[in-house]
Amino acid sequence: MRKNVAQFSRIGFILSAAGAAVGLGNIWKFPYMTGVYGGGAFVMVYLITILLIGVSLLVAEMYIGKIGQADAVSNFENEAPKAKRAWAKAGYIIFIGLIIMTFYSVVIGWIFYYLYVALTGLPTNLQDAQNIFNTLYASSPWLQITFHTLSTAIVAAILFGGIKNGIEKFNLLLMPTLIVILLGLMVYAMQFEGFSKALAFMFAPDFSKLNSEAIIRAVGHSFFTLSIGIGSIMAYAAALPKETNIFRAGLWVAFLDTFIALIAGIVIFSFLFQFGGEPAKGPGLVFMSLPIIFAKLGTVGTVIALLFFLGMAFAGLTSAISLVEPAVMYLEDRYEWSKKKAVIFNSLLYYVVGILVVFSTTDGFKEYLMIGKKSLFDALEFAVDSFLMPLGGILIALFVGYALSKERVAKELVPEMGEKIFAVWYFSIRYIAPFAVLFLAYNSLTS
Ligand code: TRP
């Protein structure tokens, strides 16, 4: 069990949980997927899923952390009713975070590299932009490893500080900065004609563009973006003062996450529509299309590029720490490891596999690092999106909805939500969330 652990302040918790949720998913993935899947209708499905299912799961995961007050493995073990001891194993979902980190840290490294590109000269045409990205991705393993090392070191340094002096401090500083940067960029973009086109693109749904793939991707992304299903939010909630209203905190986190994704989308599409870029560019949107536009704006563009990539790096780092902390907490709690030892051990685990991930996309090595037809990079990302995260989400929903007694859950949450909202939430956790997640996993595994 945990001894004398430091606790979050209320605002520290909300910003840290929002820091976990707001990540590359918001600034990189959400805008490019909105572009690829046609705008408004995709955004609408994403918003509806967050509201109907995402928030319910988020609150359920927070609830397990709050009643357990310990690492995820201990929470499932201690809180499961005696007859349902098989649940004890569910806590191992925490190791999914380390798997995510094997590629997440590499991508954070790319952002560091783009800060350097912004300083030394942005590409002025598509050819150059593609060259810069492809050279990094396909033929510069050592450069990528250097930045992956830097990202690993920063994340470890923050985790050494623990909940209070590491995670909370860092989020209290970076999250408001990120919001200010994005709002500043949006205010700047408001002078563009592209701004209103961006709003129309994102908020006027064109349902003819909504195919089943777009729906599945929107549902999947709404889980990924809220950081549900791997014990991150649970770990933070375990360090909450007992009297915190987790329902309200959950609403705040979901609101901030959605708000930041929408602002990032508006900023990116305003620039794109103003200066003539293709919205449906896919994953290269922020790494290829945007830099060319920034280059057109001269010195102002350099400043904007630096701010943009800095914000993106902040978003990535605050999520990264939440991906590693659950495993750190586990080793500290259960094996009485020192924080230092737990952080170094977990960091090394993902760091080493991350090096293989880098080589899996670079010329001369990639042939040796394939899993089936996919590179190790793509295979890990696929496993996380379509199997591991849904698994974590289902376990959380089933645990709260079926393993624990309704009386017990209600006793804690009715005072927070009121009878009516509790009834809706409980229905969602029992009957909607598990099946929606199952549907999602089934579809992405078979497509
Ligand atoms: N939500 C983060 C993003 O949008 C990624 C992330 C952080 C995450 N922690 C997680 C995803 C836990 C799933 C589970 O980039």
Side-chain angles (χ1 to χ4, degrees):
M1 281 312 267
R2 322 201 66 202
K3 306 163 263 324
N4 51 39
V5 271
Q7 289 188 325
F8 281 114
S9 65
R10 205 178 93 87
I11 180 75
F13 172 74
I14 289 176
L15 287 181
S16 300
V22 175
L24 304 177
N26 301 59
I27 300 181
W28 166 61
K29 227 170 159 183
F30 172 73
Y32 93 64
M33 286 180 25
T34 302
V36 170
Y37 295 109
F42 175 86
V43 174
M44 211 153 125
V45 177
Y46 160 84
L47 291 176
I48 292 172
T49 325
I50 288 197
L51 206 65
L52 290 186
I53 309 169
V55 176
S56 318
L57 279 169
L58 189 67
V59 172
E61 187 171 334
M62 282 185 184
Y63 169 75
I64 301 176
K66 187 179 176 182
I67 59 171
Q69 296 274 305
D71 66 278
V73 176
S74 308
N75 289 343
F76 279 103
E77 222 167 80
N78 299 337
E79 304 308 318
K82 294 264 174 313
K84 299 179 179 162
R85 273 302 145 97
W87 275 108
K89 300 284 170 286
Y92 293 105
I93 53 171
I94 52 172
F95 290 105
I96 302 171
L98 298 183
I99 301 178
I100 298 180
M101 276 303 279
T102 61
F103 54 86
Y104 209 82
S105 172
V106 173
V107 179
I108 293 175
W110 297 351
I111 302 167
F112 291 157
Y113 176 70
Y114 270 79
L115 280 168
Y116 165 81
V117 170
L119 279 173
T120 51
L122 290 160
T124 50
N125 58 55
L126 191 60
Q127 192 59 45
D128 286 352
Q130 281 170 348
N131 274 342
I132 290 180
F133 186 76
N134 290 336
T135 307
L136 176 71
Y137 180 77
S139 36
S140 315
W142 302 111
L143 194 59
Q144 286 191 72
I145 289 169
T146 306
F147 287 112
H148 166 50
T149 310
L150 182 63
S151 142
T152 307
I154 296 176
V155 170
I158 301 163
L159 291 173
F160 282 151
I163 294 276
K164 206 71 199 161
N165 289 314
I167 295 173
E168 178 171 278
K169 262 200 186 138
F170 191 71
N171 277 294
L172 282 176
L173 181 70
L174 291 201
M175 288 308 289
T177 314
L178 169 64
I179 294 173
V180 169
I181 289 177
L182 284 175
L183 285 178
L185 292 177
M186 188 176 81
V187 169
Y188 180 79
M190 275 176 176
Q191 54 169 324
F192 300 159
E193 266 168 45
F195 182 72
S196 49
K197 290 188 191 149
L199 291 183
F201 180 69
M202 287 181 61
F203 298 110
D206 172 358
F207 289 103
S208 65
K209 289 191 177 141
L210 200 65
N211 53 25
S212 61
E213 189 191 336
I215 296 177
I216 291 165
R217 299 288 303 223
V219 174
H221 185 66
S222 64
F223 298 138
F224 184 82
T225 192
L226 289 178
S227 298
I228 292 163
I230 68 142
S232 290
I233 299 291
M234 197 185 299
Y236 286 2
L240 263 179
K242 264 283 183 199
E243 65 281 1
T244 315
N245 182 321
I246 52 170
F247 175 59
R248 224 181 280 150
L251 287 180
W252 264 110
V253 172
F255 167 76
L256 285 171
D257 185 71
T258 311
F259 178 73
I260 291 179
L262 294 176
I263 302 286
I266 292 171
V267 168
I268 290 170
F269 289 118
S270 299
F271 275 95
L272 223 60
F273 290 136
Q274 181 72 12
F275 297 99
E278 243 305 294
K281 265 279 175 271
L285 188 65
V286 301
F287 290 115
M288 292 191 246
S289 312
L290 271 191
I292 309 172
I293 292 174
F294 294 152
K296 287 187 188 163
L297 295 172
T299 315
V300 178
T302 303
V303 175
I304 293 178
L306 282 174
L307 287 174
F308 181 82
F309 286 114
L310 203 62
M312 199 160 146
F314 289 175
L317 288 169
T318 51
S319 295
I321 54 180
S322 82
L323 288 163
V324 188
E325 174 66 13
V328 170
M329 203 184 237
Y330 167 70
L331 292 175
E332 283 181 328
D333 276 11
R334 301 281 295 228
Y335 296 95
E336 311 217 336
W337 284 21
S338 70
K339 183 171 284 299
K340 208 165 178 181
K341 186 172 160 194
V343 170
I344 292 176
F345 178 79
N346 286 310
S347 303
L348 275 178
L349 279 183
Y350 80 76
Y351 176 74
V352 171
V353 182
I355 290 176
L356 297 178
V357 164
V358 167
F359 281 119
S360 80
T361 65
T362 47
D363 298 330
F365 301 97
K366 60 181 177 208
E367 297 74 24
Y368 307 103
L369 290 161
M370 307 263 289
I371 296 185
K373 285 200 178 77
K374 288 184 156 70
S375 67
L376 180 64
F377 191 137
D378 293 341
L380 286 169
E381 202 184 348
F382 179 77
V384 167
D385 278 355
S386 48
F387 177 65
L388 296 170
M389 275 191 37
L391 176 73
I394 289 177
L395 288 174
I396 287 167
L398 295 182
F399 186 72
V400 174
Y402 294 91
L404 300 180
S405 74
K406 185 174 181 182
E407 292 67 47
R408 178 173 183 194
V409 182
K411 206 171 133 222
E412 182 97 35
L413 290 180
V414 168
E416 294 193 2
M417 301 175 167
E419 296 273 356
K420 282 201 193 103
I421 297 180
F422 178 80
V424 174
W425 174 80
Y426 199 68
F427 185 84
S428 165
I429 283 299
R430 273 189 94 125
Y431 303 112
I432 305 180
F435 301 104
V437 181
L438 204 63
F439 161 84
L440 169 76
Y442 174 79
N443 275 290
S444 41
L445 283 174
T446 52
S447 65

